[in-house]
């Protein structure tokens, strides 16, 4: 649902009824209309009626010049209507089973317009039923008759040409903001400076495909479709021959002892890939690669990972031994790896690092945690050390990093 405030209270409305979010002012006045009818509005050629929901519910409205007002465009069965609210908050994903019936003590608003109430993050939201509010059958008093007349006659109203007041950049920002608010709800993915370029670019292509009326994320399936193309190649599998060939020229020729950290290693495919790649570059290197993950089942099975040899890229052949269940990496590779269960949200202690590989992991943590961990990584990398993030991720603070690129692969070198 889309959440907003009226007179200091929290409200929600079914996102399926929301066509878009906008900001506008100076609506064209319609004579003889009810007080809650703010006027009509030219929305890219479509004339819609605008209702001030605060006046409609007899809630206080500031007399000060409010400038651009927050408007939610509702797509109802018979009409498209704009409603003015105090503030537009965010999109919240809720399960219908959590919704409780309204109570008569919600005195500010007639209970017949309330679809239910729900508590989320210590806030109580009153969910409005848009269809009942603007359904002709619900209108019995004079105000409703007047309002209905305005709505029905909007298209034929003899009004002056309205001023186009939409600020396209503002509209883009608000609607993109709703996408960003929804992704953590459905996928646990947190938009931030790490991924903002990709999220913004994806929004433009998403709107072109979905259209102006259907681009909001309504469920997890929509969110997953929106995020297609974000994850890096070879995620959850051994790095391919092509990827090894692209990334190897960017790596330093390490000597002596070297330590590499691979947080978010999952079942260990990435950790094995890094270890084989570094051993191939310098077989005499005294290497330790630490793979961490908070999935206990995956991290427990990683040391004994069995793979089907026929599906292994040719690069790894010299690092494999046959087993009764397929193939495993040889002792040289296994002895170079430490798999540990850990949660990146908790403080950890690691030695000075030559390289960190952390692809498609930080973006699934709140932005504050992303910043904290990126700072931690920078502090613990040796000068000249390398950071490998996901293909569509960058450090939030890019000062202190030098970008290295080869065939769409990006590494960040600590300056």
């Amino acid at each position: 649902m889309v959440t907003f405030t009226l007179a200091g209270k929290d409200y929600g409305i079914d996102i399926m009824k929301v066509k878009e979010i906008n900001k506008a002012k100076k609506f064209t006045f319609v004579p003889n209309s009810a007080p809650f009818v703010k006027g009509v509005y030219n929305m890219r050629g479509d004339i819609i009626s605008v209702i001030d929901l605060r006046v409609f519910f007899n809630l206080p409205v500031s007399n000060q010049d409010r400038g651009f007002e927050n408007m939610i465009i509702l797509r109802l069965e018979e009409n498209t209507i704009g409603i003015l609210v105090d503030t537009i908050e965010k999109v919240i994903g809720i399960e219908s089973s959590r919704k409780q019936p309204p109570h008569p003590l919600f005195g500010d608003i007639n209970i017949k317009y309330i679809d239910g109430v729900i508590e989320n993050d210590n806030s109580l939201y009153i969910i409005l039923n848009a269809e009942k509010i603007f359904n002709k059958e619900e209108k019995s008093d004079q105000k409703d008759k007047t309002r209905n007349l305005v709505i029905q006659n909007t298209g034929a109203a003899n009004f002056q040409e309205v001023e186009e007041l939409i600020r396209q950049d503002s509209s883009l920002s608000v609607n993109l903001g709703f996408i960003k608010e929804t992704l953590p709800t459905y996928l646990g993915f947190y938009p931030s400076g790490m991924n903002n370029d990709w999220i913004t670019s994806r929004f433009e292509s998403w709107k072109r495909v979905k259209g102006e009326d259907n681009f909001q994320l309504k469920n997890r399936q929509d969110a997953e479709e929106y995020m297609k193309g974000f994850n890096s190649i070879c995620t959850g599998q051994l790095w391919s021959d092509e990827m090894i060939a692209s990334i190897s020229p960017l790596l330093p020729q390490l000597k002596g002892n070297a330590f590499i950290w691979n947080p978010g290693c999952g079942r260990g495919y990435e950790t094995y890939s890094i270890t084989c790649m570094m051993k191939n570059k310098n077989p005499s290197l005294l290497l330790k690669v630490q793979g961490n993950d908070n999935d206990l089942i995956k991290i427990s099975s990683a040391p004994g990972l069995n793979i089907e040899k026929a599906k292994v890229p040719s690069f790894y052949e010299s690092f494999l031994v046959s087993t009764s269940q397929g193939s495993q990496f040889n002792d040289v590779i296994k002895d170079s790896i430490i798999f540990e269960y850990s949660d990146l949200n908790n403080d950890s202690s690691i030695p000075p690092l030559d390289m960190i590989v952390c692809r498609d992991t930080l973006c699934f943590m709140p932005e504050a945690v992303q910043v904290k961990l990126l700072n931690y990584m920078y502090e613990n990398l040796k000068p000249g050390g390398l950071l490998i993030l996901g293909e569509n991720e960058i450090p939030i603070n890019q000062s202190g990093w030098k970008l290295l690129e080869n065939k769409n692969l990006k590494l960040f070198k600590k300056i």
Side-chain angles (χ1 to χ4, degrees):
M1 66 178 182
V2 176
T3 62
F4 54 92
T5 62
L6 295 172
K9 290 188 178 179
D10 297 315
Y11 293 86
I13 204 162
D14 185 354
I15 195 171
M16 297 297 288
K17 301 294 181 183
V18 177
K19 181 178 181 181
E20 65 179 83
I21 307 300
N22 224 316
K23 285 181 177 289
K25 67 178 182 179
K26 294 182 180 178
F27 308 99
T28 300
F29 175 72
V30 178
N32 299 319
S33 60
F36 52 76
V37 179
K38 193 75 174 182
V40 292
Y41 182 71
N42 185 347
M43 190 177 71
R44 298 185 293 276
D46 293 331
I47 306 302
I48 64 171
S49 300
V50 179
I51 305 299
D52 191 325
L53 213 55
R54 297 156 297 194
V55 179
F56 183 90
F57 290 133
N58 295 315
L59 299 174
V61 182
S62 172
N63 293 326
Q64 298 178 353
D65 181 7
R66 301 177 63 88
F68 281 87
E69 300 212 56
N70 296 303
M71 183 165 64
I72 300 174
I73 311 298
L74 299 178
R75 179 177 47 213
L76 306 179
E77 290 183 1
E78 298 181 356
N79 299 289
T80 298
I81 295 176
I83 59 171
L84 301 182
V85 299
D86 285 335
T87 61
I88 300 172
E89 299 294 326
K90 56 188 176 181
V91 174
I92 297 175
I94 60 171
E95 297 178 1
S96 58
S97 58
R98 293 173 53 197
K99 188 166 60 178
Q100 301 295 316
H103 192 280
L105 291 180
F106 292 129
D108 290 343
I109 293 178
N110 192 320
I111 196 171
K112 69 180 180 180
Y113 300 134
I114 300 176
D115 196 35
V117 295
I118 190 166
E119 184 178 7
N120 188 73
D121 288 340
N122 299 319
S123 296
L124 184 66
Y125 294 92
I126 300 172
I127 307 172
L128 299 180
N129 188 319
E131 291 292 349
K132 285 189 176 179
I133 294 174
F134 298 105
N135 189 330
K136 288 185 292 186
E137 295 179 358
E138 298 291 336
K139 308 175 183 78
S140 57
D141 59 22
Q142 187 59 39
K143 291 182 179 179
D144 287 338
K145 290 178 181 177
T146 306
R147 177 188 62 194
N148 190 30
L149 181 63
V150 172
I151 293 172
Q152 289 183 348
N153 292 335
T154 293
N158 182 20
F159 50 81
Q160 298 176 345
E161 183 179 358
V162 297
E163 180 183 2
E164 177 57 60
L165 296 169
I166 300 175
R167 290 182 175 176
Q168 294 295 339
D169 56 340
S170 177
S171 175
L172 171 65
S173 177
V174 172
N175 289 315
L176 178 58
F178 271 82
I179 295 287
K180 291 180 178 180
E181 293 280 358
T182 311
L183 289 174
T185 300
Y186 290 127
L187 297 181
F189 180 95
Y190 291 86
S192 70
M194 285 194 72
N195 48 53
N196 188 60
D197 290 348
W198 189 90
I199 295 293
T200 303
S201 174
R202 174 59 173 150
F203 182 64
E204 293 299 326
S205 61
W206 175 260
K207 280 185 66 176
R208 285 197 294 273
V209 172
K210 293 294 182 178
E212 293 287 342
D213 296 336
N214 193 38
F215 63 83
Q216 292 292 352
L217 307 182
K218 306 176 185 66
N219 48 48
R220 182 180 177 86
Q221 184 178 357
D222 281 351
E224 290 176 340
E225 187 178 352
Y226 187 93
M227 291 303 298
K228 281 183 178 177
F230 179 82
N231 283 340
S232 307
I233 60 171
C234 300
T235 293
Q237 62 186 68
L238 293 173
W239 291 359
S240 66
D241 291 339
E242 292 77 13
M243 183 170 174
I244 295 288
S246 297
I247 203 170
S248 289
L250 301 176
L251 301 179
Q253 188 67 41
L254 298 176
K255 298 179 180 178
N257 296 306
F259 198 98
I260 297 175
W261 188 30
N262 179 213
C265 66
R267 294 186 63 192
Y269 289 104
E270 192 169 63
T271 316
Y272 285 112
S273 300
I274 301 162
T275 307
C276 292
M277 186 176 60
M278 297 305 297
K279 276 292 185 181
N280 181 68
K281 199 170 182 71
N282 183 3
S284 63
L285 185 66
L286 299 176
L287 178 66
K288 280 298 178 186
V289 181
Q290 180 170 316
N292 290 107
D293 204 278
N294 64 354
D295 188 319
L296 186 57
I297 294 178
K298 289 181 179 177
I299 200 72
S300 299
S301 63
L305 180 68
N306 277 293
I307 50 180
E308 188 176 346
K309 190 172 182 179
K311 296 182 179 179
V312 177
S314 59
F315 168 78
Y316 301 93
E317 289 181 356
S318 61
F319 300 108
L320 296 175
V321 293
S322 297
T323 70
S324 58
Q325 296 178 323
S327 296
Q328 288 189 354
F329 287 97
N330 61 33
D331 289 340
V332 173
I333 297 302
K334 286 185 174 181
D335 291 345
S336 301
I337 297 176
I338 305 168
F339 285 110
E340 286 187 353
Y341 171 85
S342 71
D343 189 337
L344 288 177
N345 288 292
N346 301 324
D347 293 335
S348 59
S349 178
I350 53 176
L353 298 164
D354 294 277
M355 190 188 309
I356 300 171
V357 182
C358 187
R359 304 196 313 155
D360 306 332
T361 298
L362 297 182
C363 286
F364 292 88
M365 300 176 177
E367 184 174 4
V369 180
Q370 295 176 19
V371 173
K372 175 185 173 182
L373 287 171
L374 284 169
N375 289 338
Y376 180 78
M377 291 175 179
Y378 187 85
E379 292 170 359
N380 284 278
L381 266 178
K382 298 176 183 176
L386 295 178
L387 171 63
I388 304 178
L389 297 173
E391 291 172 33
N392 297 300
E393 298 174 325
I394 59 174
I396 293 176
N397 182 0
Q398 296 187 51
S399 63
W401 298 103
K402 179 183 179 181
L403 176 63
L404 307 178
E405 292 184 276
N406 186 31
K407 296 182 180 178
N408 296 326
L409 288 172
K410 295 181 292 186
L411 284 70
F412 298 91
K413 182 178 181 180
K414 180 179 178 179
I415 300 174

